[in-house]
PDB file of all heavy atoms in Angstrom:
ATOM      1  N   THR A 143      17.416 -26.949  17.328  1.00  0.00           N
ATOM      2  CA  THR A 143      18.304 -27.230  16.199  1.00  0.00           C
ATOM      3  C   THR A 143      19.761 -27.129  16.627  1.00  0.00           C
ATOM      4  O   THR A 143      20.576 -28.023  16.327  1.00  0.00           O
ATOM      5  CB  THR A 143      18.022 -26.238  15.044  1.00  0.00           C
ATOM      6  OG1 THR A 143      16.666 -26.382  14.620  1.00  0.00           O
ATOM      7  CG2 THR A 143      18.955 -26.513  13.873  1.00  0.00           C
ATOM      8  N   MET A 144      20.106 -26.058  17.336  1.00  0.00           N
ATOM      9  CA  MET A 144      21.494 -25.871  17.775  1.00  0.00           C
ATOM     10  C   MET A 144      21.890 -26.928  18.810  1.00  0.00           C
ATOM     11  O   MET A 144      23.035 -27.384  18.841  1.00  0.00           O
ATOM     12  CB  MET A 144      21.669 -24.462  18.334  1.00  0.00           C
ATOM     13  CG  MET A 144      21.534 -23.366  17.273  1.00  0.00           C
ATOM     14  SD  MET A 144      21.863 -21.686  17.854  1.00  0.00           S
ATOM     15  CE  MET A 144      20.388 -21.392  18.859  1.00  0.00           C
ATOM     16  N   GLU A 145      20.937 -27.325  19.642  1.00  0.00           N
ATOM     17  CA  GLU A 145      21.208 -28.368  20.635  1.00  0.00           C
ATOM     18  C   GLU A 145      21.472 -29.701  19.959  1.00  0.00           C
ATOM     19  O   GLU A 145      22.372 -30.452  20.363  1.00  0.00           O
ATOM     20  CB  GLU A 145      20.019 -28.485  21.590  1.00  0.00           C
ATOM     21  CG  GLU A 145      20.223 -29.473  22.729  1.00  0.00           C
ATOM     22  CD  GLU A 145      19.019 -29.552  23.641  1.00  0.00           C
ATOM     23  OE1 GLU A 145      17.873 -29.618  23.112  1.00  0.00           O
ATOM     24  OE2 GLU A 145      19.198 -29.545  24.867  1.00  0.00           O
ATOM     25  N   ALA A 146      20.707 -30.017  18.894  1.00  0.00           N
ATOM     26  CA  ALA A 146      20.877 -31.286  18.180  1.00  0.00           C
ATOM     27  C   ALA A 146      22.201 -31.342  17.436  1.00  0.00           C
ATOM     28  O   ALA A 146      22.866 -32.390  17.394  1.00  0.00           O
ATOM     29  CB  ALA A 146      19.719 -31.479  17.205  1.00  0.00           C
ATOM     30  N   VAL A 147      22.610 -30.204  16.858  1.00  0.00           N
ATOM     31  CA  VAL A 147      23.874 -30.169  16.112  1.00  0.00           C
ATOM     32  C   VAL A 147      25.063 -30.198  17.070  1.00  0.00           C
ATOM     33  O   VAL A 147      26.055 -30.893  16.854  1.00  0.00           O
ATOM     34  CB  VAL A 147      23.926 -28.920  15.207  1.00  0.00           C
ATOM     35  CG1 VAL A 147      25.289 -28.795  14.535  1.00  0.00           C
ATOM     36  CG2 VAL A 147      22.824 -28.984  14.159  1.00  0.00           C
ATOM     37  N   GLY A 148      24.968 -29.437  18.142  1.00  0.00           N
ATOM     38  CA  GLY A 148      26.045 -29.356  19.118  1.00  0.00           C
ATOM     39  C   GLY A 148      27.159 -28.443  18.660  1.00  0.00           C
ATOM     40  O   GLY A 148      27.314 -28.139  17.473  1.00  0.00           O
ATOM     41  N   GLY A 149      27.931 -27.940  19.609  1.00  0.00           N
ATOM     42  CA  GLY A 149      29.035 -27.052  19.275  1.00  0.00           C
ATOM     43  C   GLY A 149      28.763 -25.623  19.694  1.00  0.00           C
ATOM     44  O   GLY A 149      27.654 -25.281  20.123  1.00  0.00           O
ATOM     45  N   GLU A 150      29.815 -24.799  19.560  1.00  0.00           N
ATOM     46  CA  GLU A 150      29.715 -23.415  20.020  1.00  0.00           C
ATOM     47  C   GLU A 150      30.051 -22.394  18.941  1.00  0.00           C
ATOM     48  O   GLU A 150      30.098 -21.207  19.213  1.00  0.00           O
ATOM     49  CB  GLU A 150      30.674 -23.202  21.207  1.00  0.00           C
ATOM     50  CG  GLU A 150      30.341 -24.025  22.441  1.00  0.00           C
ATOM     51  CD  GLU A 150      29.055 -23.568  23.106  1.00  0.00           C
ATOM     52  OE1 GLU A 150      28.639 -22.421  22.876  1.00  0.00           O
ATOM     53  OE2 GLU A 150      28.466 -24.365  23.863  1.00  0.00           O
ATOM     54  N   GLY A 151      30.322 -22.846  17.706  1.00  0.00           N
ATOM     55  CA  GLY A 151      30.781 -21.934  16.679  1.00  0.00           C
ATOM     56  C   GLY A 151      29.661 -21.243  15.935  1.00  0.00           C
ATOM     57  O   GLY A 151      28.462 -21.504  16.137  1.00  0.00           O
ATOM     58  N   TRP A 152      30.083 -20.357  14.989  1.00  0.00           N
ATOM     59  CA  TRP A 152      29.116 -19.609  14.200  1.00  0.00           C
ATOM     60  C   TRP A 152      28.374 -20.497  13.206  1.00  0.00           C
ATOM     61  O   TRP A 152      27.281 -20.153  12.764  1.00  0.00           O
ATOM     62  CB  TRP A 152      29.817 -18.465  13.462  1.00  0.00           C
ATOM     63  CG  TRP A 152      29.966 -17.245  14.305  1.00  0.00           C
ATOM     64  CD1 TRP A 152      31.107 -16.742  14.841  1.00  0.00           C
ATOM     65  CD2 TRP A 152      28.913 -16.371  14.730  1.00  0.00           C
ATOM     66  NE1 TRP A 152      30.841 -15.612  15.581  1.00  0.00           N
ATOM     67  CE2 TRP A 152      29.506 -15.353  15.522  1.00  0.00           C
ATOM     68  CE3 TRP A 152      27.535 -16.343  14.528  1.00  0.00           C
ATOM     69  CZ2 TRP A 152      28.759 -14.329  16.100  1.00  0.00           C
ATOM     70  CZ3 TRP A 152      26.802 -15.323  15.109  1.00  0.00           C
ATOM     71  CH2 TRP A 152      27.399 -14.329  15.884  1.00  0.00           C
ATOM     72  N   GLY A 153      28.970 -21.629  12.846  1.00  0.00           N
ATOM     73  CA  GLY A 153      28.273 -22.559  11.956  1.00  0.00           C
ATOM     74  C   GLY A 153      26.999 -23.095  12.597  1.00  0.00           C
ATOM     75  O   GLY A 153      25.936 -23.145  11.955  1.00  0.00           O
ATOM     76  N   VAL A 154      27.108 -23.457  13.865  1.00  0.00           N
ATOM     77  CA  VAL A 154      25.934 -23.930  14.606  1.00  0.00           C
ATOM     78  C   VAL A 154      24.935 -22.794  14.781  1.00  0.00           C
ATOM     79  O   VAL A 154      23.721 -22.969  14.603  1.00  0.00           O
ATOM     80  CB  VAL A 154      26.356 -24.483  15.987  1.00  0.00           C
ATOM     81  CG1 VAL A 154      25.134 -24.907  16.792  1.00  0.00           C
ATOM     82  CG2 VAL A 154      27.323 -25.650  15.820  1.00  0.00           C
ATOM     83  N   ALA A 155      25.438 -21.609  15.112  1.00  0.00           N
ATOM     84  CA  ALA A 155      24.555 -20.456  15.290  1.00  0.00           C
ATOM     85  C   ALA A 155      23.822 -20.120  13.996  1.00  0.00           C
ATOM     86  O   ALA A 155      22.633 -19.760  14.011  1.00  0.00           O
ATOM     87  CB  ALA A 155      25.352 -19.256  15.779  1.00  0.00           C
ATOM     88  N   ALA A 156      24.525 -20.241  12.860  1.00  0.00           N
ATOM     89  CA  ALA A 156      23.897 -19.932  11.567  1.00  0.00           C
ATOM     90  C   ALA A 156      22.739 -20.883  11.290  1.00  0.00           C
ATOM     91  O   ALA A 156      21.693 -20.460  10.758  1.00  0.00           O
ATOM     92  CB  ALA A 156      24.943 -20.029  10.456  1.00  0.00           C
ATOM     93  N   LEU A 157      22.894 -22.159  11.643  1.00  0.00           N
ATOM     94  CA  LEU A 157      21.793 -23.114  11.466  1.00  0.00           C
ATOM     95  C   LEU A 157      20.605 -22.736  12.342  1.00  0.00           C
ATOM     96  O   LEU A 157      19.442 -22.835  11.929  1.00  0.00           O
ATOM     97  CB  LEU A 157      22.270 -24.533  11.797  1.00  0.00           C
ATOM     98  CG  LEU A 157      23.239 -25.181  10.805  1.00  0.00           C
ATOM     99  CD1 LEU A 157      23.699 -26.537  11.326  1.00  0.00           C
ATOM    100  CD2 LEU A 157      22.578 -25.336   9.440  1.00  0.00           C
ATOM    101  N   GLY A 158      20.893 -22.304  13.563  1.00  0.00           N
ATOM    102  CA  GLY A 158      19.819 -21.880  14.456  1.00  0.00           C
ATOM    103  C   GLY A 158      19.106 -20.641  13.932  1.00  0.00           C
ATOM    104  O   GLY A 158      17.874 -20.548  13.992  1.00  0.00           O
ATOM    105  N   ILE A 159      19.873 -19.688  13.404  1.00  0.00           N
ATOM    106  CA  ILE A 159      19.274 -18.471  12.835  1.00  0.00           C
ATOM    107  C   ILE A 159      18.382 -18.828  11.652  1.00  0.00           C
ATOM    108  O   ILE A 159      17.257 -18.321  11.522  1.00  0.00           O
ATOM    109  CB  ILE A 159      20.378 -17.484  12.407  1.00  0.00           C
ATOM    110  CG1 ILE A 159      21.122 -16.976  13.641  1.00  0.00           C
ATOM    111  CG2 ILE A 159      19.787 -16.325  11.617  1.00  0.00           C
ATOM    112  CD1 ILE A 159      22.359 -16.165  13.314  1.00  0.00           C
ATOM    113  N   LEU A 160      18.875 -19.715  10.786  1.00  0.00           N
ATOM    114  CA  LEU A 160      18.084 -20.139   9.620  1.00  0.00           C
ATOM    115  C   LEU A 160      16.799 -20.828  10.064  1.00  0.00           C
ATOM    116  O   LEU A 160      15.719 -20.574   9.504  1.00  0.00           O
ATOM    117  CB  LEU A 160      18.908 -21.080   8.746  1.00  0.00           C
ATOM    118  CG  LEU A 160      18.213 -21.621   7.489  1.00  0.00           C
ATOM    119  CD1 LEU A 160      17.815 -20.477   6.555  1.00  0.00           C
ATOM    120  CD2 LEU A 160      19.109 -22.628   6.771  1.00  0.00           C
ATOM    121  N   ALA A 161      16.888 -21.684  11.086  1.00  0.00           N
ATOM    122  CA  ALA A 161      15.703 -22.391  11.587  1.00  0.00           C
ATOM    123  C   ALA A 161      14.677 -21.405  12.134  1.00  0.00           C
ATOM    124  O   ALA A 161      13.466 -21.557  11.913  1.00  0.00           O
ATOM    125  CB  ALA A 161      16.109 -23.389  12.670  1.00  0.00           C
ATOM    126  N   ALA A 162      15.151 -20.372  12.835  1.00  0.00           N
ATOM    127  CA  ALA A 162      14.237 -19.365  13.395  1.00  0.00           C
ATOM    128  C   ALA A 162      13.550 -18.578  12.289  1.00  0.00           C
ATOM    129  O   ALA A 162      12.334 -18.335  12.345  1.00  0.00           O
ATOM    130  CB  ALA A 162      15.004 -18.426  14.322  1.00  0.00           C
ATOM    131  N   LEU A 163      14.309 -18.180  11.272  1.00  0.00           N
ATOM    132  CA  LEU A 163      13.732 -17.406  10.167  1.00  0.00           C
ATOM    133  C   LEU A 163      12.695 -18.220   9.403  1.00  0.00           C
ATOM    134  O   LEU A 163      11.615 -17.715   9.065  1.00  0.00           O
ATOM    135  CB  LEU A 163      14.836 -16.940   9.221  1.00  0.00           C
ATOM    136  CG  LEU A 163      15.812 -15.899   9.774  1.00  0.00           C
ATOM    137  CD1 LEU A 163      16.919 -15.621   8.758  1.00  0.00           C
ATOM    138  CD2 LEU A 163      15.096 -14.608  10.132  1.00  0.00           C
ATOM    139  N   VAL A 164      13.008 -19.487   9.132  1.00  0.00           N
ATOM    140  CA  VAL A 164      12.075 -20.346   8.392  1.00  0.00           C
ATOM    141  C   VAL A 164      10.811 -20.594   9.214  1.00  0.00           C
ATOM    142  O   VAL A 164       9.690 -20.568   8.685  1.00  0.00           O
ATOM    143  CB  VAL A 164      12.750 -21.673   8.009  1.00  0.00           C
ATOM    144  CG1 VAL A 164      11.737 -22.654   7.424  1.00  0.00           C
ATOM    145  CG2 VAL A 164      13.871 -21.431   7.003  1.00  0.00           C
ATOM    146  N   SER A 165      10.978 -20.817  10.521  1.00  0.00           N
ATOM    147  CA  SER A 165       9.816 -21.055  11.391  1.00  0.00           C
ATOM    148  C   SER A 165       8.901 -19.834  11.411  1.00  0.00           C
ATOM    149  O   SER A 165       7.675 -19.949  11.265  1.00  0.00           O
ATOM    150  CB  SER A 165      10.286 -21.375  12.814  1.00  0.00           C
ATOM    151  OG  SER A 165      11.081 -22.537  12.841  1.00  0.00           O
ATOM    152  N   GLY A 166       9.495 -18.659  11.598  1.00  0.00           N
ATOM    153  CA  GLY A 166       8.690 -17.442  11.614  1.00  0.00           C
ATOM    154  C   GLY A 166       8.015 -17.185  10.278  1.00  0.00           C
ATOM    155  O   GLY A 166       6.838 -16.811  10.228  1.00  0.00           O
ATOM    156  N   LEU A 167       8.755 -17.400   9.193  1.00  0.00           N
ATOM    157  CA  LEU A 167       8.193 -17.198   7.863  1.00  0.00           C
ATOM    158  C   LEU A 167       7.006 -18.128   7.623  1.00  0.00           C
ATOM    159  O   LEU A 167       5.985 -17.721   7.055  1.00  0.00           O
ATOM    160  CB  LEU A 167       9.270 -17.425   6.805  1.00  0.00           C
ATOM    161  CG  LEU A 167       8.829 -17.311   5.346  1.00  0.00           C
ATOM    162  CD1 LEU A 167       8.346 -15.901   5.038  1.00  0.00           C
ATOM    163  CD2 LEU A 167       9.981 -17.701   4.412  1.00  0.00           C
ATOM    164  N   ALA A 168       7.133 -19.382   8.054  1.00  0.00           N
ATOM    165  CA  ALA A 168       6.054 -20.354   7.858  1.00  0.00           C
ATOM    166  C   ALA A 168       4.777 -19.915   8.565  1.00  0.00           C
ATOM    167  O   ALA A 168       3.676 -19.977   7.990  1.00  0.00           O
ATOM    168  CB  ALA A 168       6.496 -21.730   8.363  1.00  0.00           C
ATOM    169  N   TRP A 169       4.904 -19.439   9.807  1.00  0.00           N
ATOM    170  CA  TRP A 169       3.723 -18.967  10.526  1.00  0.00           C
ATOM    171  C   TRP A 169       3.126 -17.736   9.854  1.00  0.00           C
ATOM    172  O   TRP A 169       1.907 -17.602   9.733  1.00  0.00           O
ATOM    173  CB  TRP A 169       4.088 -18.629  11.980  1.00  0.00           C
ATOM    174  CG  TRP A 169       4.117 -19.811  12.880  1.00  0.00           C
ATOM    175  CD1 TRP A 169       5.218 -20.385  13.442  1.00  0.00           C
ATOM    176  CD2 TRP A 169       3.000 -20.587  13.324  1.00  0.00           C
ATOM    177  NE1 TRP A 169       4.863 -21.465  14.202  1.00  0.00           N
ATOM    178  CE2 TRP A 169       3.503 -21.612  14.155  1.00  0.00           C
ATOM    179  CE3 TRP A 169       1.629 -20.515  13.095  1.00  0.00           C
ATOM    180  CZ2 TRP A 169       2.684 -22.552  14.765  1.00  0.00           C
ATOM    181  CZ3 TRP A 169       0.804 -21.454  13.705  1.00  0.00           C
ATOM    182  CH2 TRP A 169       1.331 -22.456  14.523  1.00  0.00           C
ATOM    183  N   GLY A 170       3.988 -16.841   9.386  1.00  0.00           N
ATOM    184  CA  GLY A 170       3.485 -15.641   8.733  1.00  0.00           C
ATOM    185  C   GLY A 170       2.751 -15.944   7.443  1.00  0.00           C
ATOM    186  O   GLY A 170       1.676 -15.383   7.177  1.00  0.00           O
ATOM    187  N   VAL A 171       3.319 -16.839   6.635  1.00  0.00           N
ATOM    188  CA  VAL A 171       2.666 -17.216   5.375  1.00  0.00           C
ATOM    189  C   VAL A 171       1.333 -17.902   5.651  1.00  0.00           C
ATOM    190  O   VAL A 171       0.333 -17.660   4.955  1.00  0.00           O
ATOM    191  CB  VAL A 171       3.592 -18.125   4.547  1.00  0.00           C
ATOM    192  CG1 VAL A 171       2.840 -18.735   3.365  1.00  0.00           C
ATOM    193  CG2 VAL A 171       4.798 -17.335   4.046  1.00  0.00           C
ATOM    194  N   LEU A 172       1.298 -18.755   6.675  1.00  0.00           N
ATOM    195  CA  LEU A 172       0.045 -19.415   7.036  1.00  0.00           C
ATOM    196  C   LEU A 172      -1.013 -18.383   7.419  1.00  0.00           C
ATOM    197  O   LEU A 172      -2.170 -18.457   6.965  1.00  0.00           O
ATOM    198  CB  LEU A 172       0.279 -20.382   8.198  1.00  0.00           C
ATOM    199  CG  LEU A 172      -0.968 -21.093   8.762  1.00  0.00           C
ATOM    200  CD1 LEU A 172      -1.638 -21.938   7.669  1.00  0.00           C
ATOM    201  CD2 LEU A 172      -0.611 -21.949   9.967  1.00  0.00           C
ATOM    202  N   ASN A 173      -0.618 -17.404   8.234  1.00  0.00           N
ATOM    203  CA  ASN A 173      -1.553 -16.335   8.594  1.00  0.00           C
ATOM    204  C   ASN A 173      -2.039 -15.597   7.351  1.00  0.00           C
ATOM    205  O   ASN A 173      -3.231 -15.303   7.200  1.00  0.00           O
ATOM    206  CB  ASN A 173      -0.875 -15.341   9.541  1.00  0.00           C
ATOM    207  CG  ASN A 173      -0.685 -15.885  10.941  1.00  0.00           C
ATOM    208  OD1 ASN A 173      -1.366 -16.823  11.357  1.00  0.00           O
ATOM    209  ND2 ASN A 173       0.251 -15.311  11.675  1.00  0.00           N
ATOM    210  N   GLY A 174      -1.109 -15.288   6.442  1.00  0.00           N
ATOM    211  CA  GLY A 174      -1.463 -14.553   5.237  1.00  0.00           C
ATOM    212  C   GLY A 174      -2.416 -15.312   4.340  1.00  0.00           C
ATOM    213  O   GLY A 174      -3.357 -14.732   3.780  1.00  0.00           O
ATOM    214  N   ILE A 175      -2.194 -16.608   4.190  1.00  0.00           N
ATOM    215  CA  ILE A 175      -3.079 -17.430   3.354  1.00  0.00           C
ATOM    216  C   ILE A 175      -4.492 -17.463   3.932  1.00  0.00           C
ATOM    217  O   ILE A 175      -5.490 -17.327   3.212  1.00  0.00           O
ATOM    218  CB  ILE A 175      -2.520 -18.861   3.212  1.00  0.00           C
ATOM    219  CG1 ILE A 175      -1.247 -18.829   2.353  1.00  0.00           C
ATOM    220  CG2 ILE A 175      -3.550 -19.794   2.594  1.00  0.00           C
ATOM    221  CD1 ILE A 175      -0.539 -20.163   2.276  1.00  0.00           C
ATOM    222  N   LEU A 176      -4.584 -17.624   5.243  1.00  0.00           N
ATOM    223  CA  LEU A 176      -5.904 -17.683   5.873  1.00  0.00           C
ATOM    224  C   LEU A 176      -6.626 -16.332   5.774  1.00  0.00           C
ATOM    225  O   LEU A 176      -7.845 -16.277   5.602  1.00  0.00           O
ATOM    226  CB  LEU A 176      -5.767 -18.095   7.342  1.00  0.00           C
ATOM    227  CG  LEU A 176      -5.320 -19.534   7.578  1.00  0.00           C
ATOM    228  CD1 LEU A 176      -5.076 -19.794   9.061  1.00  0.00           C
ATOM    229  CD2 LEU A 176      -6.364 -20.520   7.038  1.00  0.00           C
ATOM    230  N   VAL A 177      -5.868 -15.240   5.864  1.00  0.00           N
ATOM    231  CA  VAL A 177      -6.475 -13.904   5.758  1.00  0.00           C
ATOM    232  C   VAL A 177      -6.852 -13.595   4.318  1.00  0.00           C
ATOM    233  O   VAL A 177      -7.972 -13.150   4.028  1.00  0.00           O
ATOM    234  CB  VAL A 177      -5.511 -12.828   6.307  1.00  0.00           C
ATOM    235  CG1 VAL A 177      -6.016 -11.427   5.968  1.00  0.00           C
ATOM    236  CG2 VAL A 177      -5.352 -12.973   7.816  1.00  0.00           C
ATOM    237  N   ALA A 178      -5.919 -13.836   3.372  1.00  0.00           N
ATOM    238  CA  ALA A 178      -6.122 -13.416   1.984  1.00  0.00           C
ATOM    239  C   ALA A 178      -6.987 -14.385   1.184  1.00  0.00           C
ATOM    240  O   ALA A 178      -7.850 -13.958   0.407  1.00  0.00           O
ATOM    241  CB  ALA A 178      -4.759 -13.255   1.293  1.00  0.00           C
TER     242      ALA A 178
END
Side-chain angles (χ1 to χ4, degrees):
T143 300
M144 293 185 288
E145 184 180 45
V147 174
E150 296 291 339
W152 276 109
V154 177
L157 289 176
I159 293 171
L160 180 61
L163 292 175
V164 172
S165 299
L167 177 63
W169 278 110
V171 169
L172 176 60
N173 287 339
I175 291 174
L176 291 174
V177 170

